[in-house]
Amino acid sequence: VRMLRYPGGTVGDHFIWNNPSAGYFSVGSADTIITPAQFITICRAIGAEPIFQVNTMSVDRTENRINPTRIESIRRGAKRAADWVADANISNSWNVKYWEIGNETWVWLFGNEYAQYVAEYSMAMKAVDPNIKIIACGLSEKTRVFNPSPFFDFSKSDPSWILRTAVSNTPESWYQALFTGAKGSFDYIAPHPYLSSTNQAGN
């Protein structure tokens, strides 16, 4: 194993880096989530390069969801990501080089929205440590139409929240958005390919 990603998959977009048990609610038990320090210890023990995946959905467990229609909300998420870079690479000297912005964000964001996340997050994170490399989520095939309500309905905690409904993306539109709206803000793309009989990403 040459590289390991933390926290990995769906966990990442509900992950509170300085309090892991507070943010993960989608699968399994919060008590099983290891800390960033424990993860780094594992990587060092087996000689694997760590990849940290920053949260694009929530700032804390129940409120302060990162609203893609509000730039100040995205910047709040970007600041939390930058704080994690500072903790990892400045305070703890872990020198984590690779940082991925979100996981499978094409499920609930349109390409132009995600491009704004990448631009804002990258700017905030690289201001802390200009040596890090930013990984953007890629898309390998057209996604099925995803209607996330009521799971993505945060209107009770944020009256300005616009419910995400019927989101779908194609690789062409996704990459067009990244290479225009986030041009120069990322160093790598993680394509997230899926192999399935239905040929639809996310199945």
Side-chain angles (χ1 to χ4, degrees), residues 4-187:
L4 287 175
R5 184 174 66 152
Y6 177 84
T10 302
V11 187
D13 277 322
H14 310 280
F15 181 73
I16 309 302
W17 64 265
N18 56 349
N19 189 5
S21 64
Y24 180 39
F25 57 85
S26 35
V27 181
S29 169
D31 296 332
T32 66
I33 305 303
I34 65 174
T35 66
Q38 291 169 325
F39 175 75
I40 290 295
T41 298
I42 293 169
C43 287
R44 301 294 184 249
I46 66 173
E49 185 80 28
I51 301 174
F52 277 2
Q53 174 198 337
V54 298
N55 188 330
T56 58
M57 187 176 293
S58 54
V59 175
D60 58 38
R61 182 167 184 157
T62 58
E63 296 183 354
N64 294 321
R65 300 297 180 179
I66 301 170
N67 191 329
T69 66
R70 298 175 63 188
I71 187 63
E72 65 271 20
S73 184
I74 296 172
R75 287 173 178 164
R76 188 165 61 242
K79 182 183 183 305
R80 281 217 32 105
D83 287 345
W84 194 9
V85 174
D87 183 78
N89 291 356
I90 307 303
S91 299
N92 288 297
S93 300
W94 291 336
N95 297 317
V96 177
K97 182 178 180 180
Y98 300 102
W99 296 77
E100 185 170 2
I101 300 177
N103 174 74
E104 299 178 357
T105 50
W106 31 260
V107 171
W108 70 290
L109 294 175
F110 290 107
N112 63 322
E113 294 172 331
Y114 180 61
Q116 191 168 42
Y117 278 66
V118 173
E120 292 292 337
Y121 273 58
S122 178
M123 181 169 58
M125 294 164 71
K126 286 194 172 186
V128 174
D129 183 352
N131 296 313
I132 65 173
K133 300 297 183 182
I134 298 296
I135 304 172
C137 292
L139 178 58
S140 60
E141 53 194 84
K142 185 180 185 300
T143 63
R144 70 183 189 274
V145 173
F146 179 70
N147 190 337
S149 57
F151 183 72
F152 284 72
D153 185 3
F154 306 128
S155 57
K156 290 183 180 179
S157 59
D158 182 355
S160 68
W161 180 261
I162 298 175
L163 185 62
R164 316 303 291 168
T165 58
V167 173
S168 180
N169 290 285
T170 65
E172 293 79 10
S173 64
W174 189 260
Y175 290 117
Q176 177 68 21
L178 274 179
F179 284 108
T180 53
K183 183 178 180 180
S185 296
F186 59 94
D187 302 284

